[in-house]
Amino acid sequence: MPVRSVIIGTGAKLPSQVLTNKDLERMVDTSDEWIRTRTGIHQRYIAGEGETNSYLAAEASKEALEMAGIRARDLDLIIVGTMSPDMPMPSVACLVQRELGAEKAGAFDLSATCSGFLYGLSIADKFIKDNQRLKILVVGSEVLSRRVNWKDRGTCVLFGDGAGAAVVAGEKGDRGILSTHLHADGTLWELLTIKALGTAVPLTPEVLEKGWQYIQMQGRDVFRHAVRALEAVAWEALEANGFTGEDVDLLISHQANMRILEHMRERLGLSREKVFINIHKYGNTSAASIPIALDEANRSGILTPGMNLLMVAFGGGFTWGSVAMRW
Ligand code: ACO
């Protein structure tokens, strides 16, 4: 019997404030109708004071640990996918480690934008294949509301805050991760950026004026690449496992745009019930979107043992990837 990486607990945490499309109508030149029809988003959650990235990540992690039935001090590794950490140093993962009291665990952040959770899950899978006794916490957590220009209607309507977490452990048997595939194309980096919060560009008045401290996106181009890459990586995962679209019981894709999800559904030949959708409630929460969806599907009983689950993500960088697993 092979040892596989199994998700033994999931959790999620959303901030307390909801921002609806109607609220946005009062902030920028947009409409509820435009946002719904172009994106599928009805509302998103926005972090308030004290609801930091590490706070959301730690709360989601506590839920995941509780479901897994393991203590924080039994964790060996904490990986946090994020592009909106509390601060450049220390990592969100270290702050989560402290909050949980996971004294034995190594901890690091992973920068792969919206693909961060799947990149993290792939790394956890490799560690567990190396040592099946390891217990690894993988988190996707974002506070993108602090990285959004609230005057730019092309981006501010899209994003939301939140965190999701999963505890991964080794198990002999049929269930668990079947395949992982990671991809990137750095040549297209300029289509989706936050140019000025690293060390390359100083925060001068001119730079602030250009809005380089915020997410800037060539939406139409990103859309085109996202559709293509997500479909390709889904087929790659299916082929690697000898599957066809019919073998997929549930698709959890990064929740970036309802039209992208619908395109995937059609191309893979999936019925509506097989594509998990929660973008209407949360918007695009980047690295948090897949683990939040996973936790919802898990807790609501949509995911049941033995199901073939396909997860796919795409984000800035560009990065994209898939994880196929038997639940
Ligand atoms: N309200 C009203 N009108 C708007 C808004 C808005 N919020 N935003 C843009 N518009 C206008 C534009 O100005 C434009 O007007 P014009 O024709 O007069 O110039 C018109 O609507 C169409 O704009 P487009 O950008 O072409 O609209 P599109 O249909 O492409 O939808 C969107 C934009 C929703 C951003 C889409 O392109 C998209 O979802 N892109 C992909 C996003 C994605 O997948 N991101 C994944 C990674 S995210 C990450 O890594 C952090």
Side-chain angles (χ1 to χ4, degrees), residues 94-208:
C94 281
L95 297 174
V96 168
Q97 189 248 15
R98 180 198 63 150
E99 172 62 23
L100 297 178
E103 58 210 33
K104 190 171 72 146
F108 66 91
D109 285 1
L110 186 160
S111 172
T113 62
C114 306
S115 312
F117 180 74
L118 293 191
Y119 266 60
L121 212 48
S122 315
I123 293 169
D125 183 45
K126 307 299 175 224
F127 268 98
I128 284 168
K129 287 205 171 113
D130 192 43
N131 179 351
Q132 64 188 78
R133 289 190 308 278
L134 296 181
K135 306 273 183 288
I136 302 180
L137 177 66
V138 183
V139 185
S141 184
E142 303 283 9
V143 180
L144 291 179
S145 59
R146 309 291 194 271
R147 293 281 179 269
V148 156
N149 181 354
W150 290 101
K151 292 184 179 140
D152 174 13
R153 67 176 184 172
T155 52
C156 76
V157 304
L158 303 175
F159 297 103
D161 302 334
V167 178
V168 190
E171 193 181 283
K172 282 205 174 97
D174 282 339
R175 68 186 194 123
I177 291 179
L178 304 172
S179 67
T180 66
H181 292 92
L182 305 182
H183 298 283
D185 185 352
T187 65
L188 297 168
W189 72 274
E190 282 188 289
L191 295 178
L192 183 48
T193 62
I194 303 173
K195 283 195 179 132
L197 291 180
T199 52
V201 179
L203 278 181
T204 60
E206 294 73 33
V207 165
L208 293 173

Side-chain angles (χ1 to χ4, degrees), residues 36 44 47 57 72 79 133-134 137 142 160 186 193 213 237 246 287 302:
R36 280 178 193 243
R44 70 286 296 140
I79 306 171
R133 289 190 308 278
L134 296 181
L137 177 66
E142 303 283 9
T193 62
Q213 69 277 35
E246 284 184 7
I302 289 173

Side-chain angles (χ1 to χ4, degrees), residues 6 101 131 135 137 197 220 227 230 239 282 289-290 310:
V6 173
N131 179 351
K135 306 273 183 288
L137 177 66
L197 291 180
R220 220 174 289 181
V227 164
L230 285 168
E239 275 163 29
Y282 308 124
S289 99
I290 290 181
L310 176 61

Side-chain angles (χ1 to χ4, degrees), residues 218-235:
Q218 307 295 323
R220 220 174 289 181
D221 290 331
V222 174
F223 188 95
R224 210 160 34 84
H225 287 286
V227 164
R228 220 182 287 149
L230 285 168
E231 188 191 337
V233 84
W235 285 120

Side-chain angles (χ1 to χ4, degrees), residues 30 34 38 114 153 157 192 219-220 256-257 259-260 284 315-316:
T30 190
W34 190 96
R38 296 295 177 114
C114 306
R153 67 176 184 172
V157 304
L192 183 48
R220 220 174 289 181
N257 187 309
R259 289 183 288 145
I260 298 178
N284 179 347

